[in-house]
């Protein structure tokens, strides 16, 4: 068990239930979490309060998770980025990685996600 | 199986009737002494053509057996009776040609060898007067064309069956991609909520056996649903193969642990260390893992599995055999169909996936006839110079 410092985590998923649960899991690890259900809301939240970690679904309405990561980078937000998706084709994974994000497949392996959020696993 | 209307139809079309049948019967004693050379010529021609030869995988021993069959085939063609039972037998033989992947072009050309040879024997004979000889020759042409029509029909029936399977898989694929992804999220919510409830109860120091059992059930069933979705998505997606020479031992070393077999199941492997397969190792490991899981489940988690790997020229055969109850005769024809299952907890995708992967390799997965247990045979050919 690694002790990690409290990080500010932004969880983005258009499924509110899933976003809330991921946020709660992150909080159980001792971090603080906020939830957004669209890329726009995430961008607004991140500009107001830049997160340390971004956890986002790949398929968001209007924009991909990788696109969101790129927009945040452009806005000067350099959070650790984790893209999650049920689509595990090479294209999706490559797109996420090119945007500078780690990729986690759905169903989400909670331990893997926790390690990435804690920063105990290299992205 | 040919329908009677099909047969009556072709007979009527070419004008083959009882008189034609009688003429062939009359010609039988004239041609019979030449059956041997005709059959020899037939197989010599096949052996001289790589594309035809490829359909005969059993070497000289198989050719000897086939010569016996062809001898009876010609004998019966002259002797008749050219009734429904006759045509049913011919159709079965036609299906064997399809099954062994004899290209249609060789089915036609091989029939031409028989036509030319038998007609030439008749022409050289002086037993019939000119007019009768002509009628016998016509009857022979007619029956040979009927034979071709039957064989063509068997190829067509097979193609229709294959298309049906392909369509079914494509439909499953579209459904899987849509519904599968749609179900991932709600399942993710159920799974994480169950996890969070468990954590919350721990926090509150609530310990209740019934609640714990229900939470465990939720977790197990969510996992099973996720597995079904993964299998469906895997079946739907036709990933290109990335083939290379892989030691059989390497595949088995990956497949056996991945099957996560219970302690009551022992696996005995007979594979030479130097034996390699020309395959996509990830996909073939999946085939072997699925077959091992099936065997273990069929045996109720207790018994023996034998894996036998060997090479015969350009083909590697892996046989996975168990000492379980075997596959009941009535379900044997259907076990490779997608969504067909006899397991209470099966999703009916495992064997369909195995077959799909083997066929992508140009190989096969089949169920051997066996008195005891089930025996699955995976055949993977080297690609080499073949198309």
């Amino acid at each position: 068990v690694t002790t990690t410092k409290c990080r500010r985590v932004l969880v983005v998923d258009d499924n509110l239930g899933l976003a809330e649960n991921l946020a709660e899991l992150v909080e159980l690890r001792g971090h603080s979490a906020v939830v957004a259900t669209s890329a726009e809301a995430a961008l607004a939240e991140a500009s107001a309060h830049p997160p340390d970690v971004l956890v986002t679904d790949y398929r968001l309405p209007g924009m991909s998770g990788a696109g969101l990561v790129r927009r945040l980078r452009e806005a000067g937000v350099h959070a650790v980025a984790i893209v999650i998706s049920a689509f595990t084709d090479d294209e999706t994974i490559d797109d996420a990685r090119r945007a500078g994000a780690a990729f986690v497949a759905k169903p989400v392996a909670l331990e893997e996600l926790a390690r990435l959020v804690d920063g105990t696993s290299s992205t | 199986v040919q329908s009677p209307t099909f047969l009556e139809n072709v007979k009527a079309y070419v004008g083959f009737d009882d008189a034609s049948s009688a003429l062939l019967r009359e010609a039988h004693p004239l041609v019979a002494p030449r059956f041997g050379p005709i059959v020899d010529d037939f197989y010599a021609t096949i052996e001289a053509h790589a594309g035809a030869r490829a359909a005969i995988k059993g070497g000289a021993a198989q050719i000897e057996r086939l010569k016996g069959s062809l001898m009876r085939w010609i004998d019966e063609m002259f002797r008749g009776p050219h009734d429904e039972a006759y045509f049913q037998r011919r159709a079965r033989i036609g299906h064997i040609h399809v099954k062994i992947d004899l290209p249609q072009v060789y089915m036609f050309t091989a029939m031409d060898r028989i036509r030319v040879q038998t007609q030439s024997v008749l022409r050289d004979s002086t037993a019939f007067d000119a007019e009768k000889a002509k009628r016998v020759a016509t009857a022979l042409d007619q029956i040979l064309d009927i034979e071709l029509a039957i064989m063509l029909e068997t190829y067509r029936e097979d193609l229709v069956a294959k298309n049906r399977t392909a369509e079914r898989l494509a439909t499953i694929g579209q459904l899987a991609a849509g519904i599968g992804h749609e179900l991932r999220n709600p399942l993710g919510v159920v799974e994480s909520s169950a996890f969070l409830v468990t954590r919350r109860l721990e926090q509150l120091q609530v310990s209740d056996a019934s609640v714990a059992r229900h939470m465990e059930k939720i977790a197990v069933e969510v996992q099973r649903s996720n597995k079904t979705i993964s299998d469906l998505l895997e079946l739907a997606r036709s990933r290109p193969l990335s083939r290379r020479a892989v030691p059989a031992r390497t595949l088995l070393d990956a497949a056996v642990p991945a099957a996560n077999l219970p302690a009551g199941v022992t696996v005995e492997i007979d594979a030479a260390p130097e034996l390699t397969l020309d395959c996509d190792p990830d996909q073939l490991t999946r085939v072997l893992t699925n077959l091992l899981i099936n065997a273990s489940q069929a045996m109720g988690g207790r018994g023996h599995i034998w894996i036998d790997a060997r090479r015969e020229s350009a083909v590697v055969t892996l046989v996975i055999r168990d000492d379980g109850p075997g596959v009941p005769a009535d379900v044997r024809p259907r076990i490779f169909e997608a969504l067909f299952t006899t397991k209470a907890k099966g999703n009916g995708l495992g064997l369909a996936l195995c077959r799909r992967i083997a066929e992508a390799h140009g190989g096969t997965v089949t169920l051997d006839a066996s008195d005891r247990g089930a025996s699955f045979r995976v055949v993977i050919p080297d690609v080499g110079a073949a198309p």
Side-chain angles (χ1 to χ4, degrees):
Chain A
V1 178
T2 321
T3 337
T4 50
K5 72 177 173 87
C6 169
R7 300 175 128 195
R8 192 181 151 71
V9 184
L10 174 57
V11 180
V12 191
D13 200 308
D14 57 335
N15 183 322
L16 177 64
L18 194 59
E20 283 177 348
N21 279 1
L22 289 177
E24 200 174 329
L25 285 162
V26 161
E27 283 166 348
L28 276 177
R29 307 284 297 194
H31 306 291
S32 72
V34 273
V35 160
T37 54
S38 71
E40 289 73 22
L43 283 166
E45 167 64 27
S47 320
H49 311 280
D52 302 309
V53 182
L54 170 77
V55 178
T56 178
D57 187 29
Y58 183 85
R59 291 236 162 156
L60 295 171
M63 192 189 296
S64 77
L68 173 61
V69 174
R70 287 192 191 93
R71 288 283 293 276
L72 284 177
R73 299 274 189 257
E74 284 161 19
V77 178
H78 294 285
V80 170
I82 302 159
V83 170
I84 54 179
S85 180
F87 294 86
T88 54
D89 52 293
D90 294 344
E91 228 170 287
T92 304
I93 296 174
D94 286 350
D95 190 29
R97 298 224 164 114
R98 274 198 308 273
F103 182 85
V104 175
K106 285 184 186 177
V108 175
L110 301 176
E111 280 302 313
E112 186 188 356
L113 184 68
R115 273 198 306 277
L116 288 167
V117 172
D118 292 350
T120 53
S121 172
S122 64
T123 54
Chain B
V1 178
Q2 309 287 332
S3 67
T5 45
F6 170 83
L7 299 162
E8 283 160 13
N9 190 32
V10 289
K11 270 168 92 169
Y13 202 110
V14 300
F16 188 90
D17 54 18
D18 289 348
S20 325
S21 202
L23 282 169
L24 289 178
R25 222 169 0 262
E26 233 181 295
H28 178 269
L30 298 177
V31 196
R34 303 287 300 159
F35 285 170
I38 292 172
V39 167
D40 287 340
D41 166 81
F42 183 90
Y43 281 102
T45 312
I46 284 179
E47 284 189 273
H49 292 82
R53 195 171 57 225
I56 298 171
K57 298 182 178 76
Q62 191 189 356
I63 291 208
E64 275 319 299
R65 276 199 309 278
L66 289 171
K67 280 185 173 178
S69 309
L70 182 59
M71 193 83 101
R72 284 189 295 280
W73 188 89
I74 302 177
D75 187 74
E76 205 184 0
M77 180 172 75
F78 278 96
R79 231 205 276 262
H82 305 97
D83 56 7
E84 184 59 29
Y86 171 90
F87 288 113
Q88 294 295 342
R89 282 195 295 280
R90 308 310 245 200
R92 268 200 299 280
I93 295 168
H95 279 295
I96 292 171
H97 293 155
V98 179
K99 209 169 152 186
I100 64 171
D101 287 328
L102 178 71
Q104 276 192 57
V105 59
Y106 294 111
M107 183 261 290
F108 265 90
T109 48
M111 286 292 282
D112 186 70
R113 299 296 301 192
I114 292 186
R115 188 191 303 266
V116 168
Q117 300 276 324
T118 46
Q119 290 286 21
S120 137
V121 172
L122 284 176
R123 247 192 332 274
D124 294 346
S125 161
T126 50
F128 300 129
D129 61 44
E131 191 272 334
K132 187 163 188 182
K134 226 160 120 183
R135 281 194 292 136
V136 172
T138 301
L140 181 55
D141 269 339
Q142 287 169 333
I143 192 71
L144 284 163
D145 287 334
I146 291 169
E147 299 285 1
L148 274 176
I150 295 168
M151 286 187 199
L152 264 183
E153 183 66 4
T154 60
Y155 274 86
R156 193 192 67 83
E157 281 176 350
D158 187 67
L159 191 68
V160 167
K162 275 188 180 150
N163 282 346
R164 209 182 298 128
T165 308
E167 271 168 28
R168 198 162 168 186
L169 284 176
T171 310
I172 291 169
Q174 284 162 2
L175 276 172
I179 299 174
H181 288 124
E182 210 44 59
L183 287 179
R184 282 278 201 228
N185 280 337
L187 277 173
V189 176
V190 172
E191 187 179 31
S192 49
S193 282
F195 180 83
L196 289 166
V197 167
T198 307
R199 280 302 175 84
R200 184 80 187 125
L201 292 174
E202 280 168 21
Q203 261 179 7
L204 297 171
Q205 297 187 324
V206 175
S207 166
D208 182 278
S210 168
V211 171
R213 209 167 45 246
H214 286 303
M215 298 316 289
E216 174 64 18
K217 279 183 192 168
I218 291 172
V220 167
E221 296 304 317
V222 165
Q223 223 169 47
R224 204 155 67 80
S225 309
N226 271 324
K227 166 90 168 57
T228 299
I229 293 171
S230 301
D231 286 352
L232 271 169
L233 292 175
E234 190 63 35
L235 193 65
R237 141 168 93 172
S238 50
R239 260 190 306 177
L241 294 182
S242 118
R243 289 180 94 134
R244 55 191 165 86
V246 188
R249 290 273 185 92
T250 305
L251 292 173
L252 293 167
D253 286 348
V256 176
N260 204 8
L261 300 170
V265 174
T266 55
V267 181
E268 204 174 301
I269 295 174
D270 184 2
E274 69 278 5
L275 175 64
T276 61
L277 281 82
D278 177 15
C279 69
D280 181 317
D282 289 343
Q283 299 203 36
L284 208 64
T285 299
R286 206 179 166 98
V287 171
L288 299 173
T289 303
N290 271 336
L291 292 175
L292 287 168
I293 292 172
N294 279 355
S296 163
Q297 289 178 345
M299 300 187 300
R302 179 160 292 277
H304 299 283
I305 299 174
W306 294 267
I307 307 176
D308 229 36
R310 57 193 71 248
R311 169 176 288 284
E312 282 164 53
S313 64
V315 169
V316 174
T317 303
L318 294 144
V319 175
I320 292 92
R321 190 163 57 86
D322 65 58
D323 62 355
V327 183
D330 56 327
V331 306
R332 291 177 75 96
R334 298 197 58 199
I335 55 168
F336 289 101
E337 281 179 24
L339 300 182
F340 178 81
T341 186
T342 56
K343 291 188 221 162
K345 294 203 165 182
N347 60 29
L349 298 172
L351 285 176
L353 193 57
C354 288
R355 171 157 282 187
R356 163 135 183 181
I357 293 172
E359 285 179 353
H361 281 81
T364 53
V365 181
T366 48
L367 174 61
D368 287 341
S370 54
D371 298 331
R372 196 169 149 59
S375 173
F376 285 87
R377 180 174 299 266
V378 182
V379 176
I380 302 293
D382 294 343
V383 172

